[in-house]
Amino acid sequence: MKNRVLGSAKIEISEIGLGCWQLGGDFGPLSDDNAHAIIQAALEQGVNFFDTADVYGAGKSEAYLGEALAKAGPEIKIATKYGRGPGTYPDGYTLVDMRDSVKRAQDRLKRDRIDLLQLHCIPTEVMQRGEIFEFLREIQQEGHIAHFGASVERIDEALICAEQGDLASLQIIFNLLRQRPVKDLLATAVERDIGIIVRLPLASGLLSGKYSAATTFDDSDHRNYNKDGDAFSVGETFSGIEFSKGLSIVDELQKIKPDAYTMAQFAMRWILDQPAVTTIIPGASSPSQVAKNVAVSALAPLPAALHDDLYAFYLEHIENNIRCKI
């Protein structure tokens, strides 16, 4: 596993992390044993960066990490999020609310200090007011968090957050179906020493190449209940692409990828080829899936000409099918 440095935080983290949304049950039911086995497999494979949130399973994801990583050394970094909880979103943002939320997260994670706290897709107008960044600085000065960043849904939101000189990271949706950050964000992140954390690298599994028109999802899976954006931003599910349209796009991408790569490897290697990216945080539903994700770190970069072809394909065949503002 290769490591990269996370922006101004200057901490080394694995370039393949573990996204822990699924540990909260939003990708279908997950047993306690499987949750712990996934985390253990990640540790054994050299993963040292785990991303979660207070609302994933109403704290369940954080609790799993707290149990599994309680005796882990300081090299193991956990990032969590604040801003989407009941009573907070969309207009309950105060210093007291943030502090209380962070303390509860500390208890669940069994940590005296959280390595990275990220704003969790908060309303754009709250970012623009800027007061919430002062809350983050106060929580940081109190010793509850080491660094802070923001998880956003759109490029304009990322650029608002990037104006904060002490922002350590931006977590963005970035994959073969959402390529715009290549032109509109990544250079700014490098210039301002902001680490880029990539979520949904496989577009909710669509870019794994394993889905078909016959694929179904559990009622508790956001790929079912949020497929049209009924619960939260449609961009968080299949990267905003309607499922059947996404399948046809993936069929075309399969024709472009090198034969030596699986579709999932191709999709994740494309992301890692961007120097501005610090880490990608694919989820995993089994220990074997963790191993497959981690293996991408050792793959050779894709040719530059292929990157150019993929961006041209995105502009012509994908961008107009995204059902949310990017």
Side-chain angles (χ1 to χ4, degrees), residues 208-275:
S208 70
K210 296 179 179 179
Y211 296 166
S212 72
T215 301
T216 59
F217 302 100
D218 189 87
D219 287 347
S220 63
D221 192 320
H222 77 99
R223 292 169 293 187
N224 181 3
Y225 67 78
N226 194 59
K227 62 182 181 298
D228 294 315
D230 295 330
F232 42 82
S233 172
V234 71
E236 299 286 348
T237 303
F238 304 130
S239 290
I241 304 290
E242 190 274 325
F243 184 61
S244 62
K245 181 62 180 179
L247 290 175
S248 67
I249 290 171
V250 172
D251 284 344
E252 293 303 311
L253 288 170
Q254 293 270 22
K255 300 173 185 177
I256 299 173
K257 76 170 183 65
D259 292 339
Y261 294 73
T262 67
M263 187 63 214
Q265 290 173 336
F266 177 49
M268 289 192 282
R269 187 63 248 180
W270 176 86
I271 299 170
L272 284 181
D273 286 353
Q274 315 296 332

Short mmCIF file of all heavy atoms in Angstrom, two decimals, residues 208-275:
data_model
loop_
_atom_site.label_atom_id
_atom_site.label_comp_id
_atom_site.label_asym_id
_atom_site.label_seq_id
_atom_site.Cartn_x
_atom_site.Cartn_y
_atom_site.Cartn_z
N SER A 208 -18.48 -0.75 -10.96
CA SER A 208 -17.86 -2.06 -10.75
C SER A 208 -18.03 -2.94 -11.98
O SER A 208 -17.31 -3.92 -12.17
CB SER A 208 -18.48 -2.77 -9.54
OG SER A 208 -19.82 -3.17 -9.82
N GLY A 209 -19.02 -2.61 -12.81
CA GLY A 209 -19.29 -3.43 -13.99
C GLY A 209 -20.06 -4.70 -13.68
O GLY A 209 -20.24 -5.54 -14.57
N LYS A 210 -20.54 -4.84 -12.46
CA LYS A 210 -21.21 -6.09 -12.05
C LYS A 210 -22.73 -6.00 -12.09
O LYS A 210 -23.41 -7.00 -11.86
CB LYS A 210 -20.75 -6.48 -10.64
CG LYS A 210 -19.27 -6.79 -10.55
CD LYS A 210 -18.88 -7.16 -9.13
CE LYS A 210 -17.39 -7.49 -9.04
NZ LYS A 210 -16.97 -7.84 -7.65
N TYR A 211 -23.27 -4.81 -12.35
CA TYR A 211 -24.72 -4.65 -12.32
C TYR A 211 -25.31 -4.86 -13.71
O TYR A 211 -24.66 -4.67 -14.73
CB TYR A 211 -25.10 -3.26 -11.83
CG TYR A 211 -24.70 -2.96 -10.40
CD1 TYR A 211 -24.72 -1.65 -9.92
CD2 TYR A 211 -24.32 -3.97 -9.53
CE1 TYR A 211 -24.38 -1.36 -8.62
CE2 TYR A 211 -23.97 -3.69 -8.22
CZ TYR A 211 -24.00 -2.38 -7.77
OH TYR A 211 -23.65 -2.09 -6.49
N SER A 212 -26.59 -5.23 -13.72
CA SER A 212 -27.33 -5.41 -14.97
C SER A 212 -28.75 -4.91 -14.74
O SER A 212 -29.13 -4.52 -13.62
CB SER A 212 -27.36 -6.88 -15.37
OG SER A 212 -28.21 -7.62 -14.51
N ALA A 213 -29.56 -4.95 -15.78
CA ALA A 213 -30.95 -4.52 -15.65
C ALA A 213 -31.72 -5.39 -14.66
O ALA A 213 -32.76 -4.96 -14.13
CB ALA A 213 -31.63 -4.55 -17.01
N ALA A 214 -31.22 -6.57 -14.37
CA ALA A 214 -31.89 -7.47 -13.43
C ALA A 214 -31.47 -7.23 -11.98
O ALA A 214 -32.04 -7.83 -11.07
CB ALA A 214 -31.61 -8.92 -13.81
N THR A 215 -30.50 -6.35 -11.74
CA THR A 215 -30.01 -6.11 -10.40
C THR A 215 -31.06 -5.39 -9.55
O THR A 215 -31.70 -4.44 -10.01
CB THR A 215 -28.73 -5.24 -10.44
OG1 THR A 215 -27.74 -5.91 -11.21
CG2 THR A 215 -28.20 -5.00 -9.03
N THR A 216 -31.27 -5.88 -8.32
CA THR A 216 -32.19 -5.23 -7.38
C THR A 216 -31.45 -4.93 -6.09
O THR A 216 -30.41 -5.53 -5.80
CB THR A 216 -33.41 -6.12 -7.08
OG1 THR A 216 -32.96 -7.36 -6.51
CG2 THR A 216 -34.21 -6.39 -8.34
N PHE A 217 -31.99 -4.01 -5.29
CA PHE A 217 -31.36 -3.59 -4.05
C PHE A 217 -32.37 -3.67 -2.91
O PHE A 217 -33.57 -3.47 -3.09
CB PHE A 217 -30.82 -2.16 -4.18
CG PHE A 217 -29.83 -1.99 -5.30
CD1 PHE A 217 -30.22 -1.44 -6.51
CD2 PHE A 217 -28.52 -2.41 -5.15
CE1 PHE A 217 -29.32 -1.30 -7.56
CE2 PHE A 217 -27.61 -2.28 -6.19
CZ PHE A 217 -28.01 -1.72 -7.39
N ASP A 218 -31.87 -3.96 -1.72
CA ASP A 218 -32.70 -4.08 -0.53
C ASP A 218 -33.45 -2.77 -0.27
O ASP A 218 -32.98 -1.68 -0.62
CB ASP A 218 -31.81 -4.43 0.67
CG ASP A 218 -32.60 -4.78 1.90
OD1 ASP A 218 -32.95 -5.96 2.06
OD2 ASP A 218 -32.87 -3.87 2.72
N ASP A 219 -34.60 -2.88 0.39
CA ASP A 219 -35.39 -1.68 0.70
C ASP A 219 -34.60 -0.68 1.55
O ASP A 219 -34.83 0.53 1.47
CB ASP A 219 -36.66 -2.07 1.45
CG ASP A 219 -37.70 -2.73 0.54
OD1 ASP A 219 -37.53 -2.66 -0.69
OD2 ASP A 219 -38.66 -3.32 1.08
N SER A 220 -33.66 -1.18 2.38
CA SER A 220 -32.89 -0.31 3.26
C SER A 220 -31.67 0.30 2.56
O SER A 220 -30.93 1.07 3.17
CB SER A 220 -32.43 -1.09 4.49
OG SER A 220 -31.55 -2.15 4.13
N ASP A 221 -31.45 -0.05 1.30
CA ASP A 221 -30.29 0.40 0.53
C ASP A 221 -30.62 1.71 -0.18
O ASP A 221 -31.64 1.82 -0.87
CB ASP A 221 -29.95 -0.70 -0.50
CG ASP A 221 -28.61 -0.52 -1.17
OD1 ASP A 221 -28.25 0.63 -1.50
OD2 ASP A 221 -27.93 -1.53 -1.41
N HIS A 222 -29.73 2.70 -0.04
CA HIS A 222 -30.00 3.99 -0.68
C HIS A 222 -30.07 3.87 -2.19
O HIS A 222 -30.68 4.73 -2.86
CB HIS A 222 -28.94 5.03 -0.27
CG HIS A 222 -27.62 4.88 -0.96
ND1 HIS A 222 -27.25 5.65 -2.05
CD2 HIS A 222 -26.58 4.05 -0.73
CE1 HIS A 222 -26.04 5.31 -2.45
NE2 HIS A 222 -25.61 4.34 -1.68
N ARG A 223 -29.48 2.82 -2.76
CA ARG A 223 -29.58 2.61 -4.21
C ARG A 223 -30.99 2.23 -4.63
O ARG A 223 -31.31 2.25 -5.82
CB ARG A 223 -28.56 1.57 -4.64
CG ARG A 223 -27.12 2.05 -4.51
CD ARG A 223 -26.12 0.94 -4.68
NE ARG A 223 -26.17 -0.03 -3.59
CZ ARG A 223 -25.29 -1.02 -3.43
NH1 ARG A 223 -24.31 -1.18 -4.32
NH2 ARG A 223 -25.39 -1.85 -2.41
N ASN A 224 -31.82 1.95 -3.64
CA ASN A 224 -33.25 1.71 -3.88
C ASN A 224 -34.04 2.96 -3.50
O ASN A 224 -34.65 3.61 -4.35
CB ASN A 224 -33.72 0.50 -3.08
CG ASN A 224 -35.19 0.18 -3.31
OD1 ASN A 224 -35.86 0.81 -4.12
ND2 ASN A 224 -35.70 -0.79 -2.61
N TYR A 225 -33.98 3.35 -2.21
CA TYR A 225 -34.87 4.42 -1.75
C TYR A 225 -34.44 5.82 -2.18
O TYR A 225 -35.23 6.76 -2.12
CB TYR A 225 -35.06 4.36 -0.24
CG TYR A 225 -33.85 4.67 0.62
CD1 TYR A 225 -33.43 5.98 0.83
CD2 TYR A 225 -33.15 3.65 1.25
CE1 TYR A 225 -32.34 6.26 1.63
CE2 TYR A 225 -32.05 3.92 2.05
CZ TYR A 225 -31.66 5.23 2.24
OH TYR A 225 -30.57 5.52 3.05
N ASN A 226 -33.17 5.98 -2.65
CA ASN A 226 -32.75 7.31 -3.10
C ASN A 226 -32.37 7.33 -4.58
O ASN A 226 -31.71 8.26 -5.04
CB ASN A 226 -31.58 7.82 -2.26
CG ASN A 226 -31.34 9.30 -2.45
OD1 ASN A 226 -32.22 10.12 -2.19
ND2 ASN A 226 -30.15 9.67 -2.90
N LYS A 227 -32.80 6.36 -5.33
CA LYS A 227 -32.37 6.27 -6.73
C LYS A 227 -32.78 7.49 -7.55
O LYS A 227 -32.14 7.83 -8.56
CB LYS A 227 -32.88 4.99 -7.37
CG LYS A 227 -34.39 4.84 -7.46
CD LYS A 227 -34.76 3.51 -8.07
CE LYS A 227 -36.28 3.34 -8.21
NZ LYS A 227 -36.96 3.35 -6.90
N ASP A 228 -33.84 8.17 -7.10
CA ASP A 228 -34.28 9.39 -7.78
C ASP A 228 -34.16 10.63 -6.89
O ASP A 228 -34.80 11.65 -7.16
CB ASP A 228 -35.73 9.23 -8.26
CG ASP A 228 -35.87 8.15 -9.33
OD1 ASP A 228 -35.03 8.15 -10.25
OD2 ASP A 228 -36.79 7.32 -9.24
N GLY A 229 -33.36 10.52 -5.83
CA GLY A 229 -33.14 11.68 -4.96
C GLY A 229 -34.27 11.97 -4.00
O GLY A 229 -34.44 13.10 -3.56
N ASP A 230 -35.04 10.94 -3.62
CA ASP A 230 -36.18 11.16 -2.73
C ASP A 230 -35.78 11.40 -1.28
O ASP A 230 -36.55 11.99 -0.51
CB ASP A 230 -37.14 9.96 -2.79
CG ASP A 230 -37.79 9.79 -4.15
OD1 ASP A 230 -37.98 10.82 -4.83
OD2 ASP A 230 -38.08 8.64 -4.54
N ALA A 231 -34.57 10.95 -0.87
CA ALA A 231 -34.15 11.07 0.52
C ALA A 231 -33.08 12.14 0.73
O ALA A 231 -33.03 12.79 1.76
CB ALA A 231 -33.66 9.72 1.04
N PHE A 232 -32.18 12.29 -0.23
CA PHE A 232 -31.12 13.30 -0.18
C PHE A 232 -30.64 13.51 -1.61
O PHE A 232 -31.25 12.99 -2.56
CB PHE A 232 -29.97 12.89 0.76
CG PHE A 232 -29.57 11.44 0.69
CD1 PHE A 232 -28.70 10.99 -0.30
CD2 PHE A 232 -30.06 10.51 1.61
CE1 PHE A 232 -28.34 9.65 -0.38
CE2 PHE A 232 -29.69 9.17 1.54
CZ PHE A 232 -28.83 8.75 0.54
N SER A 233 -29.58 14.26 -1.79
CA SER A 233 -29.15 14.61 -3.15
C SER A 233 -29.02 13.37 -4.04
O SER A 233 -28.37 12.39 -3.67
CB SER A 233 -27.81 15.34 -3.12
OG SER A 233 -27.30 15.51 -4.43
N VAL A 234 -29.62 13.44 -5.22
CA VAL A 234 -29.53 12.32 -6.15
C VAL A 234 -28.09 12.09 -6.58
O VAL A 234 -27.73 10.98 -7.02
CB VAL A 234 -30.44 12.58 -7.38
CG1 VAL A 234 -29.89 13.68 -8.27
CG2 VAL A 234 -30.68 11.31 -8.17
N GLY A 235 -27.23 13.10 -6.45
CA GLY A 235 -25.83 12.95 -6.82
C GLY A 235 -25.08 11.96 -5.95
O GLY A 235 -24.00 11.49 -6.34
N GLU A 236 -25.62 11.65 -4.78
CA GLU A 236 -24.97 10.70 -3.88
C GLU A 236 -25.26 9.25 -4.26
O GLU A 236 -24.66 8.33 -3.70
CB GLU A 236 -25.42 10.95 -2.43
CG GLU A 236 -25.08 12.33 -1.89
CD GLU A 236 -23.61 12.50 -1.56
OE1 GLU A 236 -22.87 11.49 -1.54
OE2 GLU A 236 -23.19 13.64 -1.32
N THR A 237 -26.19 9.02 -5.17
CA THR A 237 -26.57 7.68 -5.59
C THR A 237 -26.33 7.54 -7.09
O THR A 237 -26.91 8.29 -7.88
CB THR A 237 -28.04 7.40 -5.24
OG1 THR A 237 -28.23 7.57 -3.83
CG2 THR A 237 -28.44 5.98 -5.63
N PHE A 238 -25.46 6.61 -7.45
CA PHE A 238 -25.06 6.42 -8.85
C PHE A 238 -24.53 7.72 -9.47
O PHE A 238 -24.65 7.94 -10.67
CB PHE A 238 -26.21 5.85 -9.69
CG PHE A 238 -26.79 4.57 -9.17
CD1 PHE A 238 -28.15 4.41 -8.99
CD2 PHE A 238 -25.95 3.51 -8.84
CE1 PHE A 238 -28.68 3.22 -8.50
CE2 PHE A 238 -26.47 2.31 -8.35
CZ PHE A 238 -27.84 2.17 -8.18
N SER A 239 -23.97 8.59 -8.63
CA SER A 239 -23.39 9.87 -9.06
C SER A 239 -24.38 10.73 -9.84
O SER A 239 -23.99 11.57 -10.65
CB SER A 239 -22.12 9.64 -9.89
OG SER A 239 -21.08 9.17 -9.05
N GLY A 240 -25.66 10.51 -9.60
CA GLY A 240 -26.68 11.32 -10.25
C GLY A 240 -27.14 10.81 -11.60
O GLY A 240 -27.96 11.44 -12.26
N ILE A 241 -26.63 9.68 -12.03
CA ILE A 241 -27.02 9.09 -13.31
C ILE A 241 -28.18 8.12 -13.09
O ILE A 241 -28.14 7.29 -12.18
CB ILE A 241 -25.84 8.32 -13.96
CG1 ILE A 241 -24.61 9.23 -14.12
CG2 ILE A 241 -26.26 7.73 -15.30
CD1 ILE A 241 -24.73 10.30 -15.15
N GLU A 242 -29.21 8.21 -13.91
CA GLU A 242 -30.31 7.25 -13.84
C GLU A 242 -29.76 5.85 -14.10
O GLU A 242 -28.90 5.66 -14.97
CB GLU A 242 -31.38 7.64 -14.87
CG GLU A 242 -32.68 6.86 -14.73
CD GLU A 242 -32.66 5.54 -15.47
OE1 GLU A 242 -32.02 5.47 -16.55
OE2 GLU A 242 -33.25 4.56 -14.97
N PHE A 243 -30.22 4.86 -13.34
CA PHE A 243 -29.57 3.55 -13.30
C PHE A 243 -29.45 2.90 -14.68
O PHE A 243 -28.36 2.45 -15.07
CB PHE A 243 -30.33 2.63 -12.35
CG PHE A 243 -29.69 1.28 -12.17
CD1 PHE A 243 -28.41 1.15 -11.64
CD2 PHE A 243 -30.36 0.12 -12.53
CE1 PHE A 243 -27.81 -0.10 -11.46
CE2 PHE A 243 -29.78 -1.13 -12.36
CZ PHE A 243 -28.50 -1.23 -11.83
N SER A 244 -30.53 2.85 -15.44
CA SER A 244 -30.45 2.17 -16.74
C SER A 244 -29.52 2.92 -17.69
O SER A 244 -28.78 2.29 -18.46
CB SER A 244 -31.85 2.03 -17.36
OG SER A 244 -32.43 3.29 -17.59
N LYS A 245 -29.51 4.24 -17.61
CA LYS A 245 -28.59 5.02 -18.44
C LYS A 245 -27.16 4.75 -18.00
O LYS A 245 -26.24 4.63 -18.83
CB LYS A 245 -28.90 6.51 -18.34
CG LYS A 245 -27.98 7.40 -19.18
CD LYS A 245 -28.11 7.08 -20.66
CE LYS A 245 -27.20 7.94 -21.51
NZ LYS A 245 -27.31 7.61 -22.96
N GLY A 246 -26.96 4.65 -16.69
CA GLY A 246 -25.62 4.34 -16.18
C GLY A 246 -25.11 3.01 -16.68
O GLY A 246 -23.93 2.87 -17.01
N LEU A 247 -25.99 2.02 -16.75
CA LEU A 247 -25.57 0.71 -17.26
C LEU A 247 -25.08 0.81 -18.70
O LEU A 247 -24.07 0.18 -19.06
CB LEU A 247 -26.75 -0.27 -17.18
CG LEU A 247 -27.19 -0.72 -15.79
CD1 LEU A 247 -28.44 -1.59 -15.89
CD2 LEU A 247 -26.09 -1.47 -15.05
N SER A 248 -25.77 1.58 -19.53
CA SER A 248 -25.35 1.71 -20.92
C SER A 248 -24.03 2.46 -21.03
O SER A 248 -23.19 2.14 -21.89
CB SER A 248 -26.44 2.40 -21.74
OG SER A 248 -26.61 3.75 -21.35
N ILE A 249 -23.82 3.45 -20.16
CA ILE A 249 -22.54 4.18 -20.16
C ILE A 249 -21.40 3.24 -19.77
O ILE A 249 -20.33 3.25 -20.39
CB ILE A 249 -22.61 5.39 -19.21
CG1 ILE A 249 -23.55 6.46 -19.78
CG2 ILE A 249 -21.21 5.98 -18.98
CD1 ILE A 249 -23.85 7.58 -18.83
N VAL A 250 -21.64 2.43 -18.74
CA VAL A 250 -20.59 1.50 -18.29
C VAL A 250 -20.28 0.49 -19.39
O VAL A 250 -19.11 0.11 -19.59
CB VAL A 250 -21.02 0.80 -16.99
CG1 VAL A 250 -20.04 -0.32 -16.63
CG2 VAL A 250 -21.08 1.81 -15.84
N ASP A 251 -21.28 0.07 -20.14
CA ASP A 251 -21.02 -0.84 -21.27
C ASP A 251 -20.05 -0.21 -22.26
O ASP A 251 -19.15 -0.88 -22.79
CB ASP A 251 -22.33 -1.17 -21.98
CG ASP A 251 -23.19 -2.17 -21.23
OD1 ASP A 251 -22.65 -2.83 -20.32
OD2 ASP A 251 -24.39 -2.29 -21.54
N GLU A 252 -20.20 1.09 -22.51
CA GLU A 252 -19.29 1.78 -23.43
C GLU A 252 -17.90 1.94 -22.82
O GLU A 252 -16.88 1.80 -23.51
CB GLU A 252 -19.87 3.15 -23.81
CG GLU A 252 -21.14 3.08 -24.63
CD GLU A 252 -20.95 2.28 -25.92
OE1 GLU A 252 -19.97 2.54 -26.65
OE2 GLU A 252 -21.77 1.37 -26.18
N LEU A 253 -17.83 2.22 -21.52
CA LEU A 253 -16.54 2.35 -20.85
C LEU A 253 -15.79 1.02 -20.85
O LEU A 253 -14.55 0.99 -20.92
CB LEU A 253 -16.73 2.85 -19.42
CG LEU A 253 -17.15 4.31 -19.27
CD1 LEU A 253 -17.54 4.62 -17.83
CD2 LEU A 253 -16.02 5.25 -19.71
N GLN A 254 -16.53 -0.07 -20.77
CA GLN A 254 -15.90 -1.39 -20.82
C GLN A 254 -15.10 -1.57 -22.12
O GLN A 254 -14.08 -2.27 -22.16
CB GLN A 254 -16.97 -2.49 -20.72
CG GLN A 254 -17.69 -2.57 -19.39
CD GLN A 254 -17.02 -3.50 -18.40
OE1 GLN A 254 -15.82 -3.79 -18.51
NE2 GLN A 254 -17.77 -3.96 -17.41
N LYS A 255 -15.57 -0.95 -23.20
CA LYS A 255 -14.89 -1.07 -24.49
C LYS A 255 -13.61 -0.24 -24.54
O LYS A 255 -12.72 -0.50 -25.36
CB LYS A 255 -15.82 -0.63 -25.60
CG LYS A 255 -17.10 -1.43 -25.70
CD LYS A 255 -18.07 -0.82 -26.72
CE LYS A 255 -19.40 -1.55 -26.74
NZ LYS A 255 -20.36 -0.90 -27.67
N ILE A 256 -13.50 0.75 -23.66
CA ILE A 256 -12.35 1.65 -23.65
C ILE A 256 -11.25 1.15 -22.72
O ILE A 256 -10.06 1.36 -22.99
CB ILE A 256 -12.79 3.08 -23.20
CG1 ILE A 256 -13.82 3.65 -24.18
CG2 ILE A 256 -11.59 4.01 -23.09
CD1 ILE A 256 -14.43 4.97 -23.73
N LYS A 257 -11.60 0.49 -21.65
CA LYS A 257 -10.62 0.12 -20.63
C LYS A 257 -9.61 -0.90 -21.17
O LYS A 257 -9.94 -1.73 -22.03
CB LYS A 257 -11.32 -0.44 -19.39
CG LYS A 257 -11.83 -1.86 -19.55
CD LYS A 257 -12.30 -2.44 -18.23
CE LYS A 257 -12.73 -3.89 -18.40
NZ LYS A 257 -11.60 -4.77 -18.78
N PRO A 258 -8.39 -0.87 -20.65
CA PRO A 258 -7.41 -1.90 -21.02
C PRO A 258 -7.87 -3.29 -20.58
O PRO A 258 -8.50 -3.43 -19.53
CB PRO A 258 -6.16 -1.46 -20.25
CG PRO A 258 -6.35 -0.01 -19.96
CD PRO A 258 -7.83 0.17 -19.78
N ASP A 259 -7.56 -4.29 -21.36
CA ASP A 259 -8.00 -5.65 -21.05
C ASP A 259 -7.47 -6.16 -19.72
O ASP A 259 -8.10 -7.01 -19.08
CB ASP A 259 -7.56 -6.60 -22.17
CG ASP A 259 -8.28 -6.35 -23.48
OD1 ASP A 259 -9.37 -5.74 -23.44
OD2 ASP A 259 -7.75 -6.75 -24.54
N ALA A 260 -6.32 -5.67 -19.29
CA ALA A 260 -5.69 -6.18 -18.07
C ALA A 260 -6.39 -5.73 -16.79
O ALA A 260 -6.09 -6.24 -15.71
CB ALA A 260 -4.23 -5.76 -18.03
N TYR A 261 -7.30 -4.77 -16.91
CA TYR A 261 -7.97 -4.22 -15.73
C TYR A 261 -9.42 -4.69 -15.68
O TYR A 261 -10.10 -4.76 -16.71
CB TYR A 261 -7.97 -2.68 -15.77
CG TYR A 261 -6.61 -2.03 -15.66
CD1 TYR A 261 -5.71 -2.05 -16.72
CD2 TYR A 261 -6.24 -1.38 -14.50
CE1 TYR A 261 -4.46 -1.45 -16.62
CE2 TYR A 261 -5.00 -0.76 -14.38
CZ TYR A 261 -4.12 -0.80 -15.45
OH TYR A 261 -2.90 -0.20 -15.34
N THR A 262 -9.92 -4.96 -14.48
CA THR A 262 -11.36 -5.08 -14.32
C THR A 262 -11.95 -3.68 -14.40
O THR A 262 -11.25 -2.67 -14.31
CB THR A 262 -11.72 -5.70 -12.96
OG1 THR A 262 -11.36 -4.78 -11.91
CG2 THR A 262 -11.01 -7.04 -12.74
N MET A 263 -13.26 -3.60 -14.54
CA MET A 263 -13.90 -2.29 -14.62
C MET A 263 -13.66 -1.50 -13.33
O MET A 263 -13.37 -0.29 -13.37
CB MET A 263 -15.40 -2.46 -14.87
CG MET A 263 -16.13 -1.16 -15.14
SD MET A 263 -15.56 -0.33 -16.63
CE MET A 263 -15.73 1.38 -16.12
N ALA A 264 -13.76 -2.16 -12.19
CA ALA A 264 -13.54 -1.47 -10.91
C ALA A 264 -12.10 -0.98 -10.79
O ALA A 264 -11.85 0.16 -10.33
CB ALA A 264 -13.89 -2.39 -9.75
N GLN A 265 -11.15 -1.80 -11.17
CA GLN A 265 -9.75 -1.39 -11.13
C GLN A 265 -9.49 -0.20 -12.04
O GLN A 265 -8.79 0.75 -11.67
CB GLN A 265 -8.85 -2.56 -11.54
CG GLN A 265 -8.77 -3.68 -10.55
CD GLN A 265 -8.01 -4.88 -11.10
OE1 GLN A 265 -7.91 -5.07 -12.31
NE2 GLN A 265 -7.46 -5.69 -10.20
N PHE A 266 -10.06 -0.26 -13.22
CA PHE A 266 -9.93 0.82 -14.19
C PHE A 266 -10.47 2.13 -13.62
O PHE A 266 -9.80 3.18 -13.69
CB PHE A 266 -10.71 0.42 -15.45
CG PHE A 266 -10.77 1.43 -16.55
CD1 PHE A 266 -9.63 2.07 -17.01
CD2 PHE A 266 -11.99 1.72 -17.16
CE1 PHE A 266 -9.70 2.99 -18.05
CE2 PHE A 266 -12.07 2.63 -18.20
CZ PHE A 266 -10.92 3.27 -18.64
N ALA A 267 -11.65 2.07 -13.03
CA ALA A 267 -12.28 3.27 -12.48
C ALA A 267 -11.47 3.87 -11.33
O ALA A 267 -11.28 5.09 -11.26
CB ALA A 267 -13.70 2.94 -12.01
N MET A 268 -10.97 3.03 -10.44
CA MET A 268 -10.22 3.55 -9.29
C MET A 268 -8.80 3.97 -9.66
O MET A 268 -8.28 4.95 -9.12
CB MET A 268 -10.21 2.51 -8.17
CG MET A 268 -11.57 2.36 -7.51
SD MET A 268 -11.56 1.40 -5.96
CE MET A 268 -11.48 -0.26 -6.62
N ARG A 269 -8.17 3.25 -10.60
CA ARG A 269 -6.83 3.65 -11.04
C ARG A 269 -6.88 5.02 -11.71
O ARG A 269 -5.97 5.84 -11.54
CB ARG A 269 -6.26 2.62 -11.99
CG ARG A 269 -4.81 2.82 -12.40
CD ARG A 269 -3.87 2.73 -11.21
NE ARG A 269 -3.25 4.01 -10.88
CZ ARG A 269 -2.40 4.17 -9.88
NH1 ARG A 269 -2.07 3.15 -9.09
NH2 ARG A 269 -1.90 5.35 -9.63
N TRP A 270 -7.94 5.28 -12.47
CA TRP A 270 -8.10 6.59 -13.11
C TRP A 270 -8.08 7.70 -12.06
O TRP A 270 -7.47 8.75 -12.27
CB TRP A 270 -9.42 6.61 -13.90
CG TRP A 270 -9.70 7.96 -14.52
CD1 TRP A 270 -9.27 8.42 -15.72
CD2 TRP A 270 -10.50 9.00 -13.94
NE1 TRP A 270 -9.73 9.70 -15.93
CE2 TRP A 270 -10.49 10.08 -14.87
CE3 TRP A 270 -11.21 9.14 -12.75
CZ2 TRP A 270 -11.17 11.27 -14.63
CZ3 TRP A 270 -11.88 10.32 -12.51
CH2 TRP A 270 -11.86 11.37 -13.44
N ILE A 271 -8.72 7.48 -10.93
CA ILE A 271 -8.74 8.49 -9.87
C ILE A 271 -7.35 8.65 -9.26
O ILE A 271 -6.86 9.78 -9.08
CB ILE A 271 -9.76 8.11 -8.77
CG1 ILE A 271 -11.17 8.02 -9.35
CG2 ILE A 271 -9.72 9.13 -7.64
CD1 ILE A 271 -12.19 7.41 -8.41
N LEU A 272 -6.70 7.54 -8.95
CA LEU A 272 -5.37 7.62 -8.32
C LEU A 272 -4.33 8.26 -9.23
O LEU A 272 -3.31 8.75 -8.75
CB LEU A 272 -4.91 6.23 -7.89
CG LEU A 272 -5.56 5.63 -6.64
CD1 LEU A 272 -4.97 4.26 -6.35
CD2 LEU A 272 -5.39 6.55 -5.44
N ASP A 273 -4.57 8.25 -10.51
CA ASP A 273 -3.63 8.89 -11.44
C ASP A 273 -3.62 10.41 -11.31
O ASP A 273 -2.72 11.06 -11.85
CB ASP A 273 -3.98 8.52 -12.89
CG ASP A 273 -3.60 7.09 -13.25
OD1 ASP A 273 -2.94 6.43 -12.43
OD2 ASP A 273 -3.98 6.64 -14.35
N GLN A 274 -4.60 10.97 -10.62
CA GLN A 274 -4.64 12.43 -10.42
C GLN A 274 -3.74 12.78 -9.23
O GLN A 274 -4.02 12.40 -8.10
CB GLN A 274 -6.08 12.88 -10.14
CG GLN A 274 -7.12 12.28 -11.05
CD GLN A 274 -6.97 12.66 -12.50
OE1 GLN A 274 -6.44 13.73 -12.82
NE2 GLN A 274 -7.43 11.81 -13.40
N PRO A 275 -2.65 13.53 -9.45
CA PRO A 275 -1.72 13.83 -8.35
C PRO A 275 -2.36 14.60 -7.20
O PRO A 275 -1.89 14.51 -6.06
CB PRO A 275 -0.64 14.69 -9.04
CG PRO A 275 -0.73 14.35 -10.49
CD PRO A 275 -2.17 14.06 -10.74
#
